[in-house]
Amino acid sequence: DAMVIQNPRYQVTQFGKPVTLSCSQTLNHNVMYWYQQKSSQAPKLLFHYYDKDFNNEADTPDNFQSRRPNTSFCFLDIRSPGLGDAAMYLCATSRFPSGTSASTDTQYFGPGTRLTVL
Amino acid sequence: AQKVTQAQTEISVVEKEDVTLDCVYETRDTTYYLFWYKQPPSGELVFLIRRNSFDEQNEISGRYSWNFQKSTSSFNFTITASQVVDSAVYFCALSEANQGGKLIFGQGTELSVKP
């Protein structure tokens, strides 16, 4: 089945120790998104890639970086995790960023990676 | 500015009851898209429905139905004959045509269906 896969599902890191979260997709979608969801809050967009074009949200801290080496994979790097970065990180994909039908711009989410910072 | 409001933080019903989850949105754009997602305890956001701003037809899918009213900027979601498996957090979201696909989520409504 075509899907969005996130590894690992649970990640524990230490304060200040760099960590990388992984997302892969078999949908062959052009756009990949990273969201941060803190406990009992709504998901918040950090950034997205449209093909190789990186689009950062204005309020995303510099501590968060992303890489997309190919269509299938996208990584979220947290350079120096703080306690406030503990959250669920959700990856999503869509065929295009916007469109005229559900088949073009609906975002499909992976299962998420729950990050704990000690 | 774009905003999505889900005024109901938590709802608790007994199995087989009908339940409506409210969603009110704000946008200045004439072209926009509205979504509902379900987030069960496992954490994955499951897509339920997408409507565009030019299509106000209500939609029914099994026990789920959606009422889109532009006049009141609302996009409400009703579950008929609720089941325990419907227990989850439900998010309403808005995307504007020129915002690169950015989803603006409401705060979510946690639905608990008791046997």
Side-chain angles (χ1 to χ4, degrees):
Chain A
D1 288 344
M3 56 175 55
V4 182
I5 302 163
Q6 290 188 245
N7 286 307
R9 295 292 309 276
Y10 300 90
Q11 177 73 56
V12 180
T13 190
Q14 291 180 337
F15 182 94
K17 185 175 181 181
V19 65
T20 295
L21 308 182
S22 168
C23 177
S24 64
Q25 52 123 347
T26 60
L27 296 160
N28 203 31
H29 281 174
N30 299 296
V31 193
M32 296 186 77
Y33 306 82
W34 279 104
Y35 289 83
Q36 179 192 62
Q37 186 181 22
K38 296 188 176 181
S39 181
S40 300
Q41 295 184 19
K44 179 178 176 297
L45 182 65
L46 295 173
F47 28 58
H48 75 274
Y49 272 97
Y50 182 10
D51 291 330
K52 296 183 179 180
D53 292 334
F54 179 69
N55 298 272
N56 198 29
E57 291 299 302
D59 55 355
T60 298
D62 293 340
N63 198 26
F64 292 86
Q65 304 287 319
S66 186
R67 296 170 283 134
R68 190 179 185 186
N70 53 52
T71 300
S72 301
F73 284 87
C74 194
F75 300 99
L76 169 62
D77 300 309
I78 309 177
R79 294 192 296 189
S80 182
L83 298 179
D85 297 328
M88 173 78 91
Y89 290 88
L90 295 161
C91 175
T93 74
S94 67
R95 191 170 171 196
F96 295 111
S98 63
T100 57
S101 71
S103 67
T104 56
D105 62 9
T106 295
Q107 293 183 28
Y108 295 93
F109 284 80
T113 295
R114 189 171 295 280
L115 178 68
T116 299
V117 182
L118 301 178
Chain B
Q2 30 171 229
K3 184 180 179 181
V4 177
T5 301
Q6 294 178 255
Q8 304 147 309
T9 306
E10 297 178 10
I11 300 177
S12 182
V13 298
V14 177
E15 208 170 18
K16 298 184 184 177
E17 284 185 21
D18 299 347
V19 59
T20 295
L21 310 182
D22 297 333
C23 174
V24 174
Y25 63 91
E26 296 176 29
T27 177
R28 294 180 191 165
D29 275 18
T30 56
T31 303
Y32 54 90
Y33 310 98
L34 296 165
F35 301 81
W36 277 95
Y37 284 87
K38 174 183 180 180
Q39 189 173 41
S42 60
E44 180 175 354
L45 277 165
V46 178
F47 166 72
L48 296 178
I49 190 172
R50 172 195 183 275
R51 302 300 280 177
N52 72 54
S53 51
F54 300 110
D55 184 1
E56 281 193 78
Q57 282 193 344
N58 292 331
E59 182 153 339
I60 298 174
S61 176
R63 295 184 298 106
Y64 295 171
S65 61
W66 290 270
N67 184 351
F68 177 26
Q69 292 195 341
K70 287 179 74 171
S71 61
T72 55
S73 297
S74 65
F75 186 42
N76 296 338
F77 172 31
T78 297
I79 301 175
T80 303
S82 60
Q83 299 177 1
V84 173
V85 293
D86 296 327
S87 298
V89 180
Y90 291 85
F91 288 97
C92 180
L94 165 71
S95 172
E96 294 175 338
N98 298 319
Q99 291 297 316
K102 179 177 180 176
L103 283 174
I104 301 298
F105 287 89
Q107 286 302 301
T109 296
E110 183 173 3
L111 175 65
S112 176
V113 181
K114 302 185 186 308

